[in-house]
Amino acid sequence: ELAKRLGIEMKKARPGMKIDLFCVEDIDCYGLDIIGPADKFADDENLNNTSIILKAHLPNGDFLFTGDAENAVWDSILQDAEGKKSEYYEKFFNVDILKVPHHGSKSGLTSELLQKTSPQEAVISAGRGNSFGHPHFETLHLLDSFGVKIRRTDVEGDIYY
């Protein structure tokens, strides 16, 4: 409604879309690559699985923003990536910073996702003392077993890069 009143064009995010942000002296360009939701999850009853997943290529690193996507989404994305070797899936591998899916719940992060993305740091966005107990011990253990530096909003507050 508000976007319509302000005359802002709305587009539905689809895998493969790219949003160019800016270029620096025509040397390096920065932007966003939409990775998900995969078409088969676009109308999923579980709204977590309809989260927009994007990779941001920025001057201070490559970030993978995962929304609340759960294991089924990651299994599908990784399976598609293996089968297609398509450019937009290849682009999201090897990131510097991973925003851990679904607040660090045990249904959001897989070892396969960590193997493919190889993040140096992971950010878990969870409220201090939240009633869900996020982040889950299994998720923290998984990140630790891959040697990923863990940063948590429930411990640090706002996290900046």
Side-chain angles (χ1 to χ4, degrees), residues 110-112 114-116 118-119 141-148:
T110 66
S111 59
E112 293 80 12
L114 283 174
Q115 287 170 342
K116 291 290 185 185
S118 304
H141 179 71
L142 182 60
L143 289 163
D144 190 54
S145 72
F146 275 81
V148 178

Side-chain angles (χ1 to χ4, degrees), residues 11-17 19 34-37 39 42 50 52-53:
K11 291 184 180 182
K12 192 169 191 175
R14 290 279 182 226
M17 289 176 72
I19 301 167
I34 307 296
I35 296 164
D39 288 337
T50 66
I52 294 175
I53 301 166

Side-chain angles (χ1 to χ4, degrees), residues 7-140:
I8 298 171
E9 180 185 2
M10 299 284 289
K11 291 184 180 182
K12 192 169 191 175
R14 290 279 182 226
M17 289 176 72
K18 182 167 180 55
I19 301 167
D20 294 320
L21 298 176
F22 61 93
C23 294
V24 177
E25 298 178 7
D26 295 328
I27 296 172
D28 205 359
C29 292
Y30 301 98
L32 310 173
D33 290 298
I34 307 296
I35 296 164
D39 288 337
K40 70 181 180 182
F41 291 101
D43 297 315
D44 198 306
E45 287 184 19
N46 178 351
L47 293 180
N48 292 334
N49 290 336
T50 66
S51 294
I52 294 175
I53 301 166
L54 62 86
K55 180 177 179 182
H57 176 61
L58 301 171
N60 52 350
D62 289 336
F63 297 75
L64 181 61
F65 293 94
T66 59
D68 284 342
E70 296 182 356
N71 291 350
V73 173
W74 295 113
D75 291 345
S76 176
I77 287 174
L78 294 172
Q79 184 178 12
D80 285 352
E82 289 299 317
K84 292 180 184 175
K85 297 292 183 197
S86 59
E87 183 180 318
Y88 63 88
Y89 287 121
E90 292 277 334
K91 282 183 180 179
F92 93 90
F93 298 135
N94 297 316
V95 299
D96 300 305
I97 311 295
L98 171 70
K99 188 284 194 181
V100 175
H102 202 184
H103 313 285
S105 75
K106 63 182 176 181
S107 66
L109 185 63
T110 66
S111 59
E112 293 80 12
L113 179 61
L114 283 174
Q115 287 170 342
K116 291 290 185 185
T117 57
S118 304
Q120 295 156 9
E121 290 188 19
V123 175
I124 300 173
S125 177
R128 184 173 288 131
N130 67 81
S131 61
F132 298 101
H134 294 153
H136 195 274
F137 172 77
E138 289 177 28
T139 301
L140 296 172

Side-chain angles (χ1 to χ4, degrees), residues 1-10:
E1 286 277 326
L2 180 59
K4 210 180 261 187
R5 282 191 308 218
L6 295 174
I8 298 171
E9 180 185 2
M10 299 284 289

